[in-house]
Structures are given as C-alpha cells and as structure tokens.
Amino acid sequence: MKKEDLPQDPGALAKFTREVCYVKNDDGKYETALSEGWDVKKQALDSAWEDVNERVEEARKAVANGEKSPVYYFMELRLMDLSVLSGYTGIFPFFIKRHFKPSVFKGLSERKLEKYARAFDITVSELTNFKG
C-alpha cells in the first residue's frame, strides 16, 4: 500500500492510540506510517464485541433463571474459557464445568470461592451474591 492510500478512518481507539502500518514510499521502499484506523477493521471489531456482549447477556440470563452459577457468568464476562480459568484457579476444567451447576456451586468451599473470586478480580461476596 502506498503512503497516500493509508486509511485514516476514525477507529474504536482513535482517541487513545494510532496504528503503525508498513507502506511504500515514493522510492518504492517500505517504511512505517501511522493510521487512525480503517472502517473495515472497525466493523469487524464492532461485530466481535457485539457477539461477546450477547454471550455475556445470555450467561447473565442463565444465572437469573437458575440454569447456571455465577462462575459461568463471570467466566464469560472476563472473556475466559475453561482452560484459561483452569490456569488461573488451578481447578481442573471438568470440575469447573460441574461448578456451573447452581446446586454444586452452593456447596463450594470458601477456598474454591476465593480462587474464583481472585481469578475474576471480584470479592467472594460479589461472586456468591450475584443473581443475574
């Protein structure tokens, strides 16, 4: 891409940062240039965030309906999956899946609740009192 063709569309992070891109100068050699953003990239990111927000909302409703435990909601909210949450807590994914069940969640020890709370950067009280 030539330097004059570099997109300067306002992106989602335009107020905070600019993106470094490689462009060809007048001599045909590559150099770096700054771009404020690109509409296509902004649309793709907006679409991805819409999907994330839908998943979080579905998780919140599942907790409110008593189908899932708060562990499931906070895992979605913090953009984690089972393996990431397992890495932060030291709890095997199989057990984390079991902890998604409200009946199993109610019986968790204080120690396990503390591990989850630390991983989600919340208090144990926030975790146990979340009702969706």
Side-chain angles (χ1 to χ4, degrees):
M1 175 182 314
K2 293 182 181 178
K3 192 170 188 171
E4 59 269 7
D5 296 333
L6 185 64
Q8 296 295 335
D9 305 323
L13 300 175
K15 295 178 184 175
F16 305 105
T17 187
R18 294 194 296 174
E19 193 172 342
V20 176
C21 299
Y22 287 96
V23 294
K24 281 188 178 181
N25 63 16
D26 294 335
D27 299 330
K29 298 189 183 210
Y30 284 98
E31 62 182 40
T32 59
L34 295 175
S35 171
E36 288 188 15
W38 186 29
D39 266 344
V40 174
K41 185 175 183 178
K42 181 184 180 305
Q43 290 170 0
L45 287 172
D46 288 348
S47 175
W49 277 112
E50 284 175 19
D51 291 346
V52 166
N53 291 331
E54 284 176 21
R55 288 181 62 152
V56 170
E57 181 59 20
E58 287 171 12
R60 187 198 62 76
K61 286 179 182 175
V63 173
N65 294 335
E67 300 164 5
K68 299 279 186 180
S69 76
V71 171
Y72 180 73
Y73 169 78
F74 284 106
M75 183 184 79
E76 289 291 343
L77 182 66
R78 298 294 189 239
L79 305 177
M80 296 179 172
D81 61 13
L82 286 171
S83 61
V84 170
L85 184 54
S86 176
Y88 276 98
T89 61
I91 301 171
F92 288 114
F94 168 81
F95 291 111
I96 294 173
K97 268 180 122 169
R98 281 186 36 89
H99 299 161
F100 290 166
K101 297 178 183 177
S103 59
V104 176
F105 175 75
K106 288 177 187 172
L108 289 179
S109 68
E110 188 69 20
R111 186 166 178 235
K112 281 197 172 108
L113 291 172
E114 286 172 1
K115 286 182 179 185
Y116 282 126
R118 225 180 359 255
F120 299 138
D121 196 26
I122 59 174
T123 65
V124 171
S125 177
E126 288 173 302
L127 179 63
T128 56
N129 294 323
F130 182 78
K131 305 293 182 213

